[in-house]
Amino acid sequence: MLFTYLKRELSKRRKQTSVVAAGLAVAIGLVVTVSAASASVEKAQGTVLQSMYGIGTDISISKPGTPGFGGPDRFEIGSDDGNSADGSRNFSRTRFDIAGFAQALTAEDLATVAATPGVGGYTSTLKLNSITFNGELPDFIINQQNQGTQSQMPSGPGSQPNVSSTNQPAPAPSGGFDGRGGAAFDVTTFTVEGIDPSESAIGPMSTVEVSDGRLLTTADAGTYKAVLDSSYATTNKKSVGGTIKIDGVKFEIVGIALSTATGSSTSSNVYIPLDVAQKLSDHDGEVSNVYVQATSADAVTDLDKALTKALPDATVNSASELASSVSGTLTSASSLIQSLGKWLSTAVLIAAFLIAALLTASGVNRRTREFGTLKAIGWRSGRIVRQVMAESIVTSIIGGVLGIGVGLAGIAAVNHFAPTLTASVGGLAGMGDAGGPPGMPGGGQGPGRPVFGNTFDVALNATLSPLVLFTALALSLLGGLIAGMYGGWRASRLSPAESLRSVA
Amino acid sequence: MAESIYELTQVSKSFRTRMGTVNALDSVNVTIERGSLVSIQGPTGGGKSTLLQLLGGLDQPSTGSVIIDGAETSDMSEKSLAELRANKVGFIFQNFNLIPTLTAAENVETALVPLGVAPAERKSRVDAVLAEVGLSDRGHHLPSELSGGQQQRVAIARALVKKPTVILADEPTGNLDEQTRDDIIGLLEGLHRDQGLTVVIVTHDSVIAQRANVRLNIVAGRVSVA
Ligand SMILES: Nc1ncnc2c1ncn2[C@@H]1O[C@H](COP(=O)(O)OP(=O)(O)OP(=O)(O)O)[C@@H](O)[C@H]1O
Ligand SMILES: [Mg+2]
């Protein structure tokens, strides 16, 4: 009887049923869309961190330097450097050193890491920047520079040199790329990471796959072999079998690496054996980054503390601290979803629950005589409450199923319309290379701004997870329960004497 | 088996309203023999429906004692009252009060739901009682597809299917035309005459009252026996 009655009520009172179900469907659809989008953004953040720090990394160690300490980034050009022709000289200078403002971690530091209890494993890399400056300068600048104290490079390509020095009358500007004393130069940068060729479980190699050729192996130690990031290789038209010059030394390209995370590049442009990188950059036995794996997930917090204490000059970051260093539109999207999306879907959900409860109660009011009559012929209150609850729950489950449909449409819309997001990992000394290197032309904002492999393009890929599906159905059930309980409570309070009321 | 189906002693029923307390029934003393045909008459607002509610266990007196088939109802729980209504009382309403979304047969079946009758038996009992009121071929019709007289027959079938001890009807012909009215009255009279049921009818129709063996008149909550 309950089922027949329920079926009849829902189909005969289709308008009420569909209004309640549609309200819940919209609300649940919104919740599904927002949760799926939020999950995909979270996944994307995880992906970015993985690309940057590798899968198994619990803690990352680096050593910050002092930004703006001009020394290591200075190019020095003497009067007899380069080829002089027509009053100008052409230059090519390469600086090849640790990326960003970071300092080297010594062999001693590594020994400290290895000896710290809770370390399950670690790998270290030497992240280097190759910055090559190609330029044409007029002779007179160089001559003046050599007479006075050495000054910084003019800032920005093509700018007029502004040299205030000496009490000698300055000769009329001549030479340079425009013959009037102008200077022209460009800057090429790329990142080179010296890696332990035998380590693939932790560190940068844990999140790459081979797209062509092979990765570095133990046998490559000490040899001039290189693996290139796929997008870097594409941009620079490099392929397996070719060569790449790093700090003037030719390396054989043995493989092209692709990030296992879709839509993301790997952490550096070029990977070479660690020992070769150390030799080439005069950092024998030294590294810039250490990737540490804790013995267990529970040990991470303690290990973080122990390492921070053991290496007071170094920056020790756990994965969760690293997560907070991700910035860019991905982070904006994440906070938008976290705040507005969750707020909006909660509000709509509450509204839908209220509407469902009120409509159910008004349905009960309209059926006052009906329920009174059933009580008059002997139906107990409990049976009538059950009837109202069952109707409400079935209605809301219909709403929930429709809501999943709405959610799927919402997810498709998010995937279709959402722009590709970017994420930058930076803000932690030595871990990222957010700004340009100091003392470089265009180092801050200019057209020559170097962009290293720490900005990632991330495509959102929202999917309907079983958890979201379960949540949607649970929410619809909850809505049905709330509405049914309210309506049922109203019905239970009706008196059987209502059946005799002569309201036609 | 108690000889009298109803024993009402000093029964009063008052309702508190915003306008003050309304005494719908005032010191009513009535005894009704089993198998009687009872008519209740009186001016509007006199308390006829209120009395019927007490007789049907829909409500309890404010003071006094209402004994239905040997059971005192004034201190019964809501649960026991529902049980009493389900087992012994068949109600018939002026407005038929059928469930609009259920068919005639399903409406009749609702009376068997609280009795825990097995589905197969339900069906045969519903069919039998529908035949008894002359609606064998209308079981699958919705109330909206039936005439007023047919709807009231469905309501009578619903009251009868539980094999009640009493039939209580509140102005059962109030919404029917003259021809149909006679049919329904004939049907109710037949239940009293042929099945020996106690039938209590609230009516404005003095023709029905003429045929009753107990004629009650209620004016301003006070009952007099004619
Ligand atoms: N639930 C209630 N709350 C307040 N007052 C009520 C209630 N039920 C009945 N009354 C009052 O009790 C009195 C008797 O009402 P009752 O319905 O029994 O009259 P009636 O004789 O059936 O009238 P009618 O012929 O119009 O049906 C009336 O004054 C009515 O207003
Ligand atoms: Mg009345």
Side-chain angles (χ1 to χ4, degrees), chain A residues 501, chain B residues 15-17 22 24 42-51 171 204:
Chain A
R501 284 278 163 83
Chain B
F15 297 102
R16 253 190 291 276
T17 66
V22 178
T44 184
K48 305 182 295 290
S49 294
T50 306
L51 179 62
E171 299 186 37
H204 288 299

Side-chain angles (χ1 to χ4, degrees), chain A residues 266-496:
Chain A
T266 65
S267 67
S268 294
N269 299 139
V270 181
Y271 301 91
I272 58 175
L274 180 60
D275 50 357
V276 175
Q278 287 169 334
K279 203 163 76 187
L280 209 59
S281 61
D282 293 326
H283 281 293
D284 267 339
E286 296 181 333
V287 297
S288 63
N289 297 69
V290 183
Y291 302 84
V292 180
Q293 204 166 39
T295 43
S296 73
D298 303 334
V300 175
T301 315
D302 286 342
L303 182 57
D304 187 357
K305 280 187 199 136
L307 286 171
T308 307
K309 207 170 156 197
L311 301 166
D313 296 337
T315 303
V316 178
N317 284 304
S318 67
S320 58
E321 288 169 320
L322 293 175
S324 62
S325 71
V326 176
S327 62
T329 53
L330 175 64
T331 317
S332 317
S334 168
S335 60
L336 186 73
I337 289 168
Q338 297 294 332
S339 53
L340 182 65
K342 293 218 164 132
W343 183 87
L344 187 71
S345 51
T346 307
V348 171
L349 197 65
I350 289 173
F353 281 9
L354 270 178
I355 289 170
L358 291 177
L359 283 180
T360 307
S362 91
V364 168
N365 277 348
R366 256 184 287 127
R367 291 159 76 187
T368 294
R369 203 175 69 185
E370 179 174 328
F371 291 136
T373 301
L374 288 170
K375 285 189 173 183
I377 65 175
W379 280 41
R380 299 255 301 272
S381 280
R383 189 181 292 279
I384 291 166
V385 171
R386 240 181 298 156
Q387 189 70 42
V388 172
M389 294 269 284
E391 289 176 16
S392 167
I393 287 172
V394 171
T395 305
S396 60
I397 287 176
I398 294 171
V401 171
L402 290 177
I404 289 168
V406 172
L408 282 173
I411 287 171
V414 165
N415 288 340
H416 189 262
F417 294 111
T420 298
L421 301 173
T422 60
S424 312
V425 181
L428 291 170
M431 295 311 298
D433 310 35
M440 276 301 300
Q445 298 294 328
R449 178 180 186 177
V451 177
F452 301 116
N454 60 336
T455 294
F456 299 87
D457 281 346
V458 188
L460 280 191
N461 181 30
T463 51
L464 186 62
S465 71
L467 180 71
V468 170
L469 202 77
F470 175 80
T471 310
L473 288 176
L475 280 176
S476 68
L477 261 179
L478 181 69
L481 272 174
I482 290 172
M485 268 158 62
Y486 183 56
W489 173 72
R490 297 287 293 261
S492 74
R493 282 161 42 103
L494 293 175
S495 157

